[in-house]
């Protein structure tokens, strides 16, 4: 578990305050498995006065919505057409915040995760030790899992975020209200990697807890192939770096280009001084191009840093708007 960071915006849960937990499930054509997952969800969790369920129907064309209604789901969010798992996750967070959730648990509609571990998942949030808790699956013991996928995703996330998350691709996670208010998913593929990288860059307190899994009911819809997964993960991480570390990203590229230009320019200068510079004019041209590109990229780094500062101000405004008192119906 990572140490908790002090944040003036962090909302501590108080034992005297009514505490609401909302369990959200993003769904897309999950009629065959959703009922099993809902049957396993708890209506009482230690530390919470209310436990509610929220379904995000991401444009399903089967009976997903009807299954959710028959099982007494408290809240339904429906997309008119399929957007993506990441968009469904974000819609769920917004709806949970609107409904006054103090803690949000996200789980899958295919009943992959054992709902009996929800109390363990929420305990670090209730204790004030974490704002984001990731459920770590026993990857080595699961036959249908791809160890390469799990290890690669977790390695990339550790390098990009500076966190120590064992199972970065796990969708079984708990978020405090303040964490849900500050996380913004830009990627349209999956939310798992991006939210952890964001949380690391925002210095949120992150914890992992071991969780159990149920037998596999269907293959993953995200993992079409290992190369596709690797490519999309890399694109996601690069986008996060551009958004949250723009100066470092562009300045590093600019420094490399500028440095290569200096080295090639010194090489031309050496040949020029020894009297054979006429045969190495190409080096002079290449050095000039690289120096110009490097200088311009470094200028872009400063401009990107200014834009990032403006984005942080807008995110702070967004956080304060979300932190307004929830509707009066919250604790009815």
């Amino acid at each position: 578990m990572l140490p908790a960071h002090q944040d003036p915006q962090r909302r501590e849960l108080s034992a005297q305050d009514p505490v609401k937990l909302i369990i959200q499930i993003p769904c897309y054509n999950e009629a065959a498995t959703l009922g099993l997952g809902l049957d396993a969800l708890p209506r009482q969790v230690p530390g919470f006065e209310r436990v509610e369920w929220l379904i995000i129907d991401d444009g399903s064309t089967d009976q997903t919505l009807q299954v959710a209604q028959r099982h007494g789901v408290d809240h339904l969010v429906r997309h008119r057409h399929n957007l993506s798992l990441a968009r469904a996750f974000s819609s769920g967070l917004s709806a949970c915040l609107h409904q006054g959730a103090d803690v949000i648990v996200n789980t899958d509609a295919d009943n992959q995760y054992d709902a009996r571990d929800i109390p363990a998942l929420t305990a670090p949030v209730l204790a004030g030790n974490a704002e984001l808790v990731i459920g770590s699956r026993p990857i080595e013991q699961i036959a249908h899992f791809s160890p390469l996928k799990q290890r690669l995703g977790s390695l990339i996330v550790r390098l990009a975020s500076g966190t120590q998350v064992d199972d970065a691709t796990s969708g079984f996670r708990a978020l405090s209200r303040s964490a849900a208010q500050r996380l913004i998913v830009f990627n349209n593929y999956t939310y798992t990697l991006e939210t952890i990288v964001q949380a690391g860059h925002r210095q949120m307190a992150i914890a992992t807890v071991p969780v159990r899994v149920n037998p596999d009911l269907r293959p993953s819809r995200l993992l079409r192939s290992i190369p596709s997964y690797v490519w999309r993960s890399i694109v996601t991480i690069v986008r996060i770096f551009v958004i949250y570390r723009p100066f470092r990203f562009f300045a590093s590229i600019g420094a490399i280009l500028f440095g290569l230009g200096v080295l090639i320019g010194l090489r031309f200068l050496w040949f020029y001084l020894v009297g054979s510079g006429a045969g190495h004019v190409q080096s002079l041209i290449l050095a000039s191009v690289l120096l110009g590109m490097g200088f311009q990229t470094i200028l872009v780094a400063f401009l990107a840093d200014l834009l990032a500062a403006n984005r942080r101000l807008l995110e702070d405004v967004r956080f304060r708007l979300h932190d307004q008192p929830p509707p009066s119906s919250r604790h009815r």
Side-chain angles (χ1 to χ4, degrees):
M1 181 182 296
L2 298 180
H5 295 277
Q6 296 301 318
D7 186 338
Q9 294 178 333
R10 182 175 171 185
R11 183 175 184 268
E12 299 292 348
L13 298 176
S14 171
Q16 286 73 37
D17 293 334
V19 179
K20 177 189 283 191
L21 168 67
I22 296 184
I23 304 171
Q24 71 167 37
I25 307 180
C27 299
Y28 176 60
N29 291 339
E30 301 286 2
T33 58
L34 180 59
L36 294 175
L38 291 174
D39 286 338
L41 289 185
R43 277 299 186 179
Q44 293 183 339
V45 175
F48 296 96
E49 292 194 357
R50 298 192 63 180
V51 177
E52 299 177 358
W53 304 344
L54 182 143
I55 294 297
I56 308 98
D57 179 14
D58 190 26
S60 297
T61 56
D62 63 358
Q63 298 296 308
T64 295
L65 189 62
Q66 289 74 13
V67 171
Q69 291 172 333
R70 286 200 300 268
H71 282 77
V73 169
D74 301 280
H75 312 287
L76 290 169
V77 177
R78 190 172 189 184
H79 295 166
R80 293 184 179 274
H81 55 87
N82 181 245
L83 298 179
S84 70
L85 176 60
R87 298 273 74 82
F89 174 80
S90 297
S91 296
L93 292 188
S94 296
C96 289
L97 291 172
H98 179 72
Q99 294 298 331
D102 296 292
V103 179
I104 301 168
V105 165
N106 183 84
T107 188
D108 283 359
D110 60 359
N111 198 36
Q112 174 187 166
Y113 306 104
D114 194 327
R116 292 176 297 175
D117 290 323
I118 288 178
L121 202 67
T122 57
V125 180
L126 284 173
N129 295 325
E131 297 169 274
L132 173 63
V133 183
I134 311 295
S136 180
R137 298 163 291 185
I139 296 171
E140 302 297 337
Q141 303 174 20
I142 305 175
H144 64 273
F145 268 24
S146 167
L148 176 60
K149 170 193 170 185
Q150 313 302 330
R151 294 195 188 102
L152 180 63
S154 298
L155 175 61
I156 292 174
V157 167
R158 284 196 295 268
L159 293 175
S161 66
T163 62
Q164 295 296 323
V165 177
D166 299 325
D167 187 4
T169 60
S170 170
F172 196 31
R173 48 187 63 190
L175 304 90
S176 69
R177 183 177 179 85
S178 63
Q181 289 169 338
R182 286 180 285 164
L183 290 178
I184 306 172
V185 180
F186 296 97
N187 174 46
N188 286 325
Y189 179 52
T190 179
Y191 59 89
T192 55
L193 304 183
E194 181 175 357
T195 49
I196 296 175
V197 175
Q198 282 191 37
H201 287 174
R202 295 173 181 274
Q203 295 187 324
M204 293 184 190
I206 306 175
T208 60
V209 297
V211 297
R212 294 161 288 183
V213 296
N214 296 313
D216 187 34
L217 296 179
R218 62 165 175 78
S220 172
R221 294 172 178 170
L222 289 177
L223 183 60
R224 297 179 180 177
S225 67
I226 292 297
S228 173
Y229 176 80
V230 171
W231 170 250
R232 292 197 176 198
S233 298
I234 291 174
V235 170
T236 297
I237 299 302
V238 169
R239 288 188 64 188
I240 289 296
F241 265 114
V242 172
I243 293 171
Y244 288 96
R245 291 290 186 270
F247 184 83
R248 181 183 299 178
F249 181 83
F250 290 107
S252 298
I253 296 175
I256 292 172
L257 294 173
F258 196 86
L260 289 173
V262 169
L263 291 175
I264 295 175
L266 291 175
R267 177 178 179 271
F268 171 80
L269 182 61
W270 166 259
F271 284 113
Y272 179 81
L273 292 176
V274 300
S276 57
H280 297 276
V281 176
Q282 298 90 338
S283 296
L284 178 61
I285 296 173
L286 180 59
S288 300
V289 171
L290 289 174
L291 288 170
M293 291 175 61
F295 180 74
Q296 291 178 351
T297 306
I298 292 173
L299 289 181
V300 169
F302 282 99
L303 293 175
D305 195 48
L306 291 175
L307 292 174
N310 185 63
R311 190 205 72 248
R312 287 191 292 270
L313 292 174
L314 292 175
E315 288 177 354
D316 183 63
V317 171
R318 177 181 179 274
F319 176 88
R320 294 179 185 279
L321 289 175
H322 273 302
D323 203 37
Q324 296 298 317
S328 58
S329 60
R330 173 182 171 186
H331 301 305
R332 288 179 185 175

